[in-house]
Amino acid sequence: MRSASAPPPTWSAGATYLGGVSTAPLSAITLGDEFARTLPELALPWQAEQVAEPRLLVLNERVAADLGLDSAWLRGPEGTRLLVGNHVPPGAAPVAQAYAGHQFGNYSPRLGDGRALLLGELVHSDGRPRDLHLKGSGRTPFARGGDGFAAVGPMLREYVVSEAMHALGIPTTRSLAVVATGRSVRRETPLPGAVLARVARGHLRVGSFQYASATGDLDLLRRLADHAIDRHHPAAAGAEHRYLELFEAVVAAQAALVARWMLVGFVHGVMNTDNMTISGETIDYGPCAFLDAFDRSTVYSSIDHRGRYAYGNQPAVAEWNLARLAEALLPLFADDQDKAVALAVDALGGFRERYDRTWSAGMRAKLGLPSASTTPLVDELVDDLVALLAENHVDHTSFYRRLGAAARGDTEPARGLVLDIAAIDSWIARWRALRPDADAMDRVNPVYIPRNHLVEEALNAATEGDLGPLGGLLDAVTAPYDERPGRDRYADPAPADFGAAYQTFCGT
Ligand code: AMP
Ligand code: MG
């Protein structure tokens, strides 16, 4: 581990200049300030901390291109300074966003971006706006006790996991770049610092509404809701009860999102209301991880002692968070409070239905069965499999992928993962009688996910200055369904001595 005074590590990859440095001027980039203009009460103008020696570690050329940003220029000195917020286009107005939030069930009236900044909005090639946002860019007035910084490892974790989620088809913030700052960040040990540049449809959170609601300023709450409709749920704009419609749209988006997490075995780890978006994107990859063995009680976060955010609790927590959103929106639902509460309860009731629908269809797809197969026989088959996987501590990701081979007649790879051979044989026989579609299974069951032991390996190497393992992992997980020779170690379950005690950390 490096000490505070050690020389900066030499990075083995990432800082190479592809195609030369473009001379496109910064003034060619326009960063919008719609959020800051529309909601000044939630936008605190602020500047990123100066970085003496920014060094680009990883750049997402695809994301850059979609935003009309020139990768060659981003790799150059001016572009890299943009990526740490030190060189912003004329007219840009970076802000720290204010929000409140329930953290592990306890309400904090003032959280906000303590170490993050919204640089501004860019237009994506799909014609819709995106936020360009930095994490680790220095203390803001919301920093409380925090130092405002971030370490290389956790920022690369967010980069890898968010890009893997995107490749899995799960709505998420995207990662544009990670830039090393050359600064030493004090954690349990001194660590190299970094700034993550990320991109999102929007950074509004349930906590943004909690904050606006707590001010008692109804005009602010209405403006925030109108902004959310305009930006994220435009179909609500024409509705008779537009704010109720907004709430229903967020409920639907979050129910579908969390169902997708469950299907792929993702554990967010810190589902506080300030980490739940209005857009329905996964956000704030802190103590997150993917399941190895299937177990609903799995918790990775070192501080989640009671398992509030355990894998199996995620749907219930999402519903709880959405109830907090409903509370914040109540004054917009109806003047009469009882009526507003009744409307909110009814709308929140849509969560379970939408969750079940997405999850059931997803499970049928994972098993190669038509999504419309609603017979009790299929429900029973799914329930029996879930119980069997839990009882036998089966590796979640590789089981479903290997089941594709079983659909083709080769049952050995899948049954080899299960201790109770009689149970799995009998289950496979029942399932195969329904004639599962193996090719369809291979399109939805990933071979490669960011497995915890590989993420740790890649982050540890990167922290020591070697970006090679990170590159290999990114190659695998950004094409998760496409099995490629020579990459078995990215597909295999974790080694037996890795797992049960695996922990992830917040506030990194
Ligand atoms: P999280 O749950 O990790 O998204 O963060 C919760 C709150 O803590 C947010 O308000 C963050 O901005 C803030 N925060 C986390 N780490 C730091 C840090 N190192 N410095 C300042 N604020 C931080
Ligand atoms: Mg957060």
Side-chain angles (χ1 to χ4, degrees), residues 479-495:
Y481 304 110
D482 178 13
E483 191 161 5
R484 284 152 287 163
R487 286 186 167 83
D488 287 354
R489 69 185 298 265
Y490 295 103
D492 290 339

Side-chain angles (χ1 to χ4, degrees), residues 191-487:
L191 293 171
V195 173
L196 168 78
R198 78 178 174 196
V199 173
R201 289 175 186 273
H203 281 81
L204 296 184
R205 306 134 192 273
V206 169
S208 313
F209 282 87
Q210 292 180 290
Y211 184 94
S213 175
T215 64
D217 179 347
L218 201 58
D219 170 66
L220 170 62
L221 186 64
R222 196 173 286 120
R223 246 184 300 130
L224 176 59
D226 285 337
H227 176 73
I229 290 172
D230 183 46
R231 186 97 186 246
H232 300 304
H233 301 289
E240 192 187 340
H241 299 289
R242 56 193 275 129
Y243 302 118
L244 194 61
E245 196 90 2
L246 166 66
F247 178 61
E248 285 173 352
V250 179
V251 168
Q254 284 293 339
L257 177 68
V258 175
R260 304 288 304 273
W261 291 357
M262 298 300 284
L263 289 164
V264 79
F266 176 74
V267 184
H268 182 282
V270 59
M271 288 177 71
N272 295 331
T273 57
D274 53 303
N275 289 337
M276 180 182 257
T277 58
I278 299 305
S279 66
E281 294 164 296
T282 312
I283 196 172
D284 273 358
Y285 294 85
C288 62
F290 282 78
L291 291 183
D292 287 310
F294 182 77
D295 179 347
R296 294 178 57 82
S297 68
T298 304
V299 173
Y300 293 112
S301 170
S302 63
I303 59 168
D304 192 0
H305 305 298
R306 304 171 112 181
R308 180 180 174 92
Y309 299 141
Y311 169 72
N313 275 358
Q314 295 184 122
V317 170
E319 201 179 14
W320 189 90
N321 287 350
L322 290 164
R324 308 289 78 76
L325 176 62
E327 282 165 6
L329 286 168
L330 278 184
L332 300 183
F333 290 164
D335 290 338
D336 176 74
Q337 176 149 355
D338 290 344
K339 189 170 171 215
V341 170
L343 289 168
V345 168
D346 189 49
L348 190 57
F351 180 88
R352 283 180 195 209
E353 190 193 315
R354 178 62 194 261
Y355 175 86
D356 286 344
R357 201 158 18 106
T358 309
W359 188 82
S360 296
M363 281 304 288
R364 279 157 177 72
K366 287 177 87 61
L367 298 179
L369 305 174
S371 61
S373 48
T374 51
T375 63
L377 189 74
V378 175
D379 285 336
E380 209 176 292
L381 197 71
V382 168
D383 291 348
D384 290 350
L385 178 64
V386 170
L388 197 147
L389 295 183
E391 276 159 28
N392 288 269
H393 299 280
V394 177
D395 184 80
H396 183 255
T397 303
S398 47
F399 178 81
Y400 286 102
R401 184 68 187 199
R402 293 183 190 187
L403 212 49
R408 295 186 177 92
D410 180 10
T411 56
E412 219 34 59
R415 74 199 286 267
L417 290 170
V418 185
L419 271 175
D420 188 343
I421 294 288
I424 189 65
D425 282 350
S426 123
W427 185 89
I428 286 178
R430 283 162 60 206
W431 164 68
R432 286 199 66 202
L434 300 173
R435 306 167 63 86
D437 178 341
D439 292 338
M441 291 174 73
D442 285 351
R443 290 193 291 271
V444 297
N445 292 317
V447 193
Y448 310 114
I449 53 154
R451 287 184 175 276
N452 303 320
H453 63 290
L454 299 171
V455 172
E456 287 307 306
E457 172 192 272
L459 302 191
N460 288 337
T463 300
E464 298 295 332
D466 176 9
L467 289 169
L470 178 81
L473 182 59
L474 275 171
D475 276 348
V477 301
T478 52
Y481 304 110
D482 178 13
E483 191 161 5
R484 284 152 287 163
R487 286 186 167 83

Side-chain angles (χ1 to χ4, degrees), residues 99 103 111-115 143-144 146-149 187 275 284:
Y99 46 83
Q103 299 180 301
L111 292 169
D113 290 334
R115 57 166 172 174
R144 294 168 292 151
D147 62 4
F149 299 128
R187 295 295 180 260
N275 289 337
D284 273 358

Side-chain angles (χ1 to χ4, degrees), residues 54-73:
R55 189 201 289 255
L56 185 64
L57 299 183
V58 53
L59 176 69
N60 196 329
E61 299 201 348
R62 186 60 209 266
V63 167
D66 283 343
L67 295 170
L69 298 172
D70 179 352
S71 283
W73 179 80

